[in-house]
Amino acid sequence: MDLIKKANRVYLDNFKPETWFGRCIFLSWYCDVGTCKFCYRSTQKDRIKHAKNARRSLPSILTEALLAKKLNWKIEFLTGGYKIFPVEELVDMIKKVSYIYGEKIWINLGALKPEELKLFKPYIKGVVGSIETIEPSLHDKVCPNKPIYQYEEMFNHAKNFKRSITIVIGLGEKKEHFSLLCNFIRKHNLDRITFYALKPIKGTLYTKGPSTEDYIWWIANTRIKFPTLEIIAGTTLRRVSEVNFLLKAGANAITKFPITKKFGSEEAKIMEKQIRLSKRKFNGYLTKLPNINWDKEVGQLKLDKNLKQNIKITLNQYIKKMEKKIT
Ligand code: SF4
């Protein structure tokens, strides 16, 4: 509790008492690496023979961008594994998501090369490296085909962008590895870090996630060491009653909660309650839909007529499902 109190003090000395929900937008459920020992995609790779079939449709991706905009969620980042779309298609998608959302966005699309960064530049504010775990030998074991040095190279080329990493707690890291994390944050002058608590996936090596204490320990110590760093903390349906502690440990915002599937659910209500307990101001919609003429919103977009028609269809499906959950 002393650690949390100290971290909360540091947070409040450096940020307004506010928070937000960050929605991560997935582009596909296939990944060309597919060998990280904790990841759902590593259990799916052999079952998905054609990466093309595992792509998400453009209207569905853009629908999420519009929902994020109108329901006051931030876009955590656009992601979806490696080598899923040709780069020209990615540029077009990122451009459209950024247009609909009304801001440049973060992307987490692997270790990008300078020429790719150049193409994305007009539409992105930052790049994310999915480091997952920082200690080199553990990293080589958990992510054998995703070397850290590739991300370091990307960060070296990405001096004109914001830079962020993701770290999963529960993969076998030790508290003494914290100094390695601090060195990495300093070395690459990171603007943001996203922590996740490992969600054990059937078919992987892992059967349980970290304790709340361990998860919070990493967040709180990072906040104390880096008072102005943006820290995002992931939660899941099972861990949602930790949200108050994640925020008090110094996280700026919460991500990873499957909001479109669980909008208005009991778990979404718990998340709202937890945010209230943290005494942070929150403007996002998680349990009630505001009064919005969605057809009109889509109609106003400066996009191709067919694409808009398909967004309307997808959006109506989403809204119907979300309304059903609201009790
Ligand atoms: S690169 Fe990312 S998406 Fe692919 S297997 Fe590893 S953790 Fe999963």
Side-chain angles (χ1 to χ4, degrees):
M1 287 313 282
D2 281 350
L3 184 68
I4 290 187
K5 267 191 198 158
K6 193 171 170 192
N8 196 31
R9 188 70 263 146
V10 175
Y11 176 88
L12 292 171
D13 284 346
N14 290 281
F15 295 96
K16 288 183 186 160
E18 297 171 348
T19 190
W20 66 88
F21 173 69
R23 173 70 178 170
C24 170
I25 300 184
F26 282 90
L27 303 180
S28 85
W29 52 98
Y30 175 85
C31 165
D32 198 56
V33 174
T35 48
C36 301
K37 299 286 188 295
F38 65 96
C39 177
Y40 169 75
R41 286 183 179 81
S42 70
T43 66
Q44 297 299 302
K45 197 171 183 223
D46 292 342
R47 283 180 228 167
I48 303 169
K49 298 285 179 232
H50 303 290
K52 271 190 182 173
N53 299 340
R55 288 174 179 188
R56 197 164 171 199
S57 74
L58 183 60
S60 168
I61 293 164
L62 299 182
T63 292
E64 288 231 7
L66 187 59
L67 281 173
K69 167 95 184 156
K70 302 310 290 182
L71 301 183
N72 293 342
W73 311 331
K74 285 198 186 183
I75 296 181
E76 166 74 356
F77 46 63
L78 223 63
T79 190
Y82 283 78
K83 298 184 187 167
I84 33 178
F85 293 94
V87 72
E88 305 72 35
E89 227 174 296
L90 272 180
V91 172
D92 184 58
M93 270 177 197
I94 292 168
K95 179 180 175 182
K96 288 190 166 84
V97 169
S98 151
Y99 159 66
I100 290 180
Y101 191 65
E103 279 177 31
K104 290 186 176 188
I105 55 171
W106 284 89
I107 56 170
N108 180 357
L109 297 171
L112 299 167
K113 297 187 187 78
E115 54 275 21
E116 291 167 329
L117 288 172
K118 204 170 161 192
L119 291 171
F120 299 142
K121 193 168 188 300
Y123 320 111
I124 66 167
K125 66 166 112 173
V127 289
V128 183
S130 289
I131 300 291
E132 324 296 15
T133 194
I134 199 78
E135 196 282 317
S137 60
L138 179 64
H139 185 278
D140 286 353
K141 201 172 113 197
V142 178
C143 304
N145 303 106
K146 203 168 68 155
I148 292 180
Y149 79 85
Q150 290 184 348
Y151 291 112
E152 299 215 76
E153 280 175 10
M154 171 175 81
F155 288 145
N156 289 339
H157 297 305
K159 299 286 185 215
N160 294 330
F161 298 90
K162 290 191 173 198
R163 294 170 298 280
S164 175
I165 57 170
T166 62
I167 291 286
V168 180
I169 301 302
L171 293 174
E173 71 290 330
K174 304 258 183 321
K175 286 181 181 170
E176 54 261 36
H177 300 159
F178 182 62
S179 59
L180 295 175
L181 181 63
C182 295
N183 293 345
F184 193 94
I185 293 170
R186 280 191 207 102
K187 181 177 175 191
H188 294 288
N189 200 9
L190 297 185
D191 299 279
R192 193 175 83 161
I193 182 167
T194 301
F195 284 105
Y196 301 109
L198 174 72
K199 183 181 173 195
I201 303 287
K202 212 174 156 194
T204 66
L205 290 180
Y206 295 95
T207 52
K208 73 178 183 34
S211 66
T212 301
E213 288 76 10
D214 278 349
Y215 189 32
I216 283 170
W217 186 92
W218 285 84
I219 295 170
N221 278 293
T222 307
R223 168 55 64 222
I224 292 164
K225 271 267 187 269
F226 299 95
T228 58
L229 180 70
E230 193 169 283
I231 301 177
I232 314 292
T235 192
T236 58
L237 293 176
R238 287 195 182 174
R239 304 190 73 111
V240 73
S241 50
E242 291 172 344
V243 163
N244 173 28
F245 293 115
L246 303 182
L247 294 172
K248 289 222 173 102
N252 295 74
I254 300 298
T255 188
K256 191 87 173 144
F257 182 86
I259 189 64
T260 49
K261 276 196 194 127
K262 288 290 175 174
F263 191 89
S265 64
E266 279 311 310
E267 291 90 344
K269 285 178 193 159
I270 293 172
M271 186 147 89
E272 276 188 342
K273 194 172 159 204
Q274 289 281 312
I275 292 170
R276 276 198 299 277
L277 284 172
S278 75
K279 301 200 169 56
R280 299 270 191 92
K281 192 175 165 215
F282 177 70
N283 291 325
Y285 292 91
L286 304 175
T287 54
K288 284 189 187 118
L289 283 167
N291 194 8
I292 289 173
N293 183 336
W294 293 100
D295 279 353
K296 195 172 157 203
E297 292 293 333
V298 180
Q300 284 168 351
L301 295 174
K302 291 191 176 99
L303 294 172
D304 167 86
K305 207 173 152 197
N306 276 344
L307 180 57
K308 287 205 281 191
Q309 190 52 34
N310 287 327
I311 296 174
K312 268 187 196 171
I313 293 167
T314 315
L315 184 58
N316 281 325
Q317 289 165 351
Y318 268 76
I319 297 293
K320 262 191 200 149
K321 276 191 198 152
M322 288 160 83
E323 277 172 344
K324 255 193 203 165
K325 293 255 164 53
I326 300 170
T327 49

